């Protein structure tokens, strides 16, 4: 049975998914480039900046709790919930760097930011209002659904999301600066390495190994709290705290140890 926290999270994600046609332009990777070449900081550019700032306090919780594509992917995971391969993670950075360069080039060629327009090319504040917008929306949804059903849980987050790197950068910064933010903490002495947390992770992370190694930070962790809520030993907590573990990620394809039936000795 799902915890109250996970029920709340699922409702928020469902609401975000239903609002996707409204908010599409505010998450658009294209409009921010088009606006850049006209010297206009479009709504999506402001949102991307806001995501970076939010990650300094909430890490990647945006992805886990209120992201529209995230909600769509978790709905797809009810149909196909195979784990996602680790190699996908790097793809988004390979796409992100030239995309960011195109935005910078646009503003440089336009002579800087001359205007901030949250409603740039968004009539009445609603993104999908014309056939043209419907077609774009349809293809975005199709891409997310196909990736989720073929490559695994939240594979769009892992491989293509242009928003994730902003949140990862903020999260990494807080790890380096040791500033308090929303984080996972765990008492490894309580863990029986049953692996239930790893199975429940929507980002296919090797949570049991992360607990064992006391390395709870992972750039792909979206702080959804599923692992904390499902652990029968209440080993993991989602808390506001400073970093405690090492800034070293446990590989996602790390082979977990077999269930030992007793607490792991430290
Ligand atoms: S669910 Fe809890 S006890 Fe089981 S492996 Fe994860 S942290 Fe350990
Ligand atoms: S490690 Fe835990 S909090 Fe992070 S994404 Fe996986 S289940 Fe969610």
């Amino acid at each position: 049975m799902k915890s109250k926290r996970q029920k709340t999270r699922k409702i928020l994600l469902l609401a975000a998914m239903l609002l996707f046609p409204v908010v599409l332009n505010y998450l658009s990777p294209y409009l921010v480039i088009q606006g850049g070449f006209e010297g206009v900081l479009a709504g999506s550019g402001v949102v991307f900046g806001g995501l970076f700032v939010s990650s300094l306090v909430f890490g990647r919780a945006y992805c886990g709790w209120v992201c529209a594509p995230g909600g769509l992917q978790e709905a797809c995971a009810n149909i196909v919930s195979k784990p996602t391969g680790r190699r996908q993670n790097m793809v988004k950075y390979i796409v992100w760097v030239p995309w960011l360069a195109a935005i910078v080039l646009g503003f440089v060629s336009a002579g800087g930011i001359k205007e901030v327009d949250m409603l740039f090319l968004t009539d009445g504040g609603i993104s999908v209002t014309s056939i043209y917008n419907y077609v774009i929306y349809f293809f975005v949804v199709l891409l997310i659904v196909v990736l989720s059903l073929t490559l695994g849980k939240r594979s769009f987050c892992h491989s293509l999301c242009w928003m994730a790197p902003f949140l990862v950068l903020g999260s990494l910064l807080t790890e380096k600066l040791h500033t308090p933010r929303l984080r996972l903490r765990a008492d490894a002495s309580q863990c029986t390495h049953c692996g239930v947390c790893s199975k429940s992770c929507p980002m296919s992370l090797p949570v049991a190994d992360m607990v064992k190694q006391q390395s709870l930070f992972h750039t792909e962790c979206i702080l959804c709290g599923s692992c904390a809520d499902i652990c029968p030993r209440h080993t993991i907590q989602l808390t506001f705290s400073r970093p405690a573990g090492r800034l070293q990620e446990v590989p996602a394809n790390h082979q977990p140890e077999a269930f030992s039936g007793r607490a792991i000795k430290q």
Side-chain angles (χ1 to χ4, degrees):
M1 205 171 82
K2 282 197 168 51
S3 68
K4 199 174 164 190
R5 180 161 63 184
Q6 289 308 308
K7 280 183 191 160
T8 305
R9 190 178 78 85
K10 293 285 181 185
I11 290 169
L12 289 173
L13 282 175
L14 177 66
M17 185 179 82
L18 295 175
L19 284 171
F20 200 13
V22 177
V23 302
L24 184 68
N25 283 3
Y26 305 101
L27 309 177
S28 170
Y30 171 71
L31 288 182
V32 69
I33 296 178
Q34 185 175 343
F37 279 92
E38 297 173 28
V40 178
L41 182 61
S44 57
V46 177
V47 169
F48 301 150
L51 290 179
F52 172 77
V53 173
S54 82
S55 68
L56 301 175
V57 181
F58 299 109
R60 287 192 62 181
Y62 164 82
C63 314
W65 289 77
V66 290
C67 175
L72 183 57
Q73 290 175 93
E74 293 214 8
C76 291
N78 291 320
I79 305 166
V80 175
S81 70
K82 69 174 182 177
T84 315
R86 185 193 177 203
R87 265 179 263 168
Q88 290 182 39
N89 294 342
M90 285 312 292
V91 179
K92 62 177 171 288
Y93 300 108
I94 296 167
V95 177
W96 193 72
V97 171
W99 170 72
L100 199 64
I103 297 170
V104 173
L105 179 69
F107 281 115
V108 169
S109 67
I113 300 174
K114 296 169 185 157
E115 185 189 344
V116 178
D117 184 1
M118 283 303 290
L119 303 184
F120 182 68
L121 298 182
T122 309
D123 292 336
I126 296 174
S127 304
V128 180
T129 51
S130 67
I131 291 291
Y132 173 72
N133 294 142
Y134 269 109
V135 171
I136 292 172
Y137 174 68
F138 173 77
F139 277 107
V140 170
V141 168
L142 188 68
L143 174 70
I144 293 170
V145 170
V146 168
L147 283 176
S148 296
L149 298 184
T150 55
L151 297 182
K153 294 188 286 187
R154 278 192 179 248
S155 55
F156 175 79
C157 301
H158 285 285
S159 62
L160 277 185
C161 182
W162 51 91
M163 294 175 278
F166 290 105
L167 294 148
V168 170
L169 278 178
S171 303
L172 279 170
L173 189 62
T174 57
E175 291 301 304
K176 290 281 182 200
L177 297 176
H178 278 248
T179 52
R181 73 160 165 84
L182 193 63
R183 284 188 167 83
L184 290 181
R185 299 295 288 269
D187 177 1
S189 67
Q190 295 298 314
C191 177
T192 56
H193 216 69
C194 65
V196 171
C197 51
S198 303
K199 269 190 199 151
S200 80
C201 178
M203 294 299 279
S204 313
L205 301 181
V207 191
D209 297 317
M210 290 159 61
V211 170
K212 184 185 172 191
Q213 297 182 20
Q214 284 290 281
S215 181
L216 271 293
F217 174 75
H218 198 294
T219 52
E220 295 301 312
C221 175
I222 56 174
L223 296 171
C224 66
S226 297
C227 53
D229 293 333
I230 206 164
C231 174
R233 305 271 298 179
H234 308 293
T235 304
I236 308 170
Q237 288 94 39
L238 191 58
T239 63
F240 273 95
S241 56
R242 293 180 191 276
R246 291 166 289 154
L247 185 54
Q248 178 190 347
E249 291 190 350
V250 177
N253 57 356
H254 188 270
Q255 291 301 312
E257 288 181 5
F259 169 58
S260 65
R262 58 190 163 78
I264 302 281
K265 291 196 177 87
Q266 296 301 294

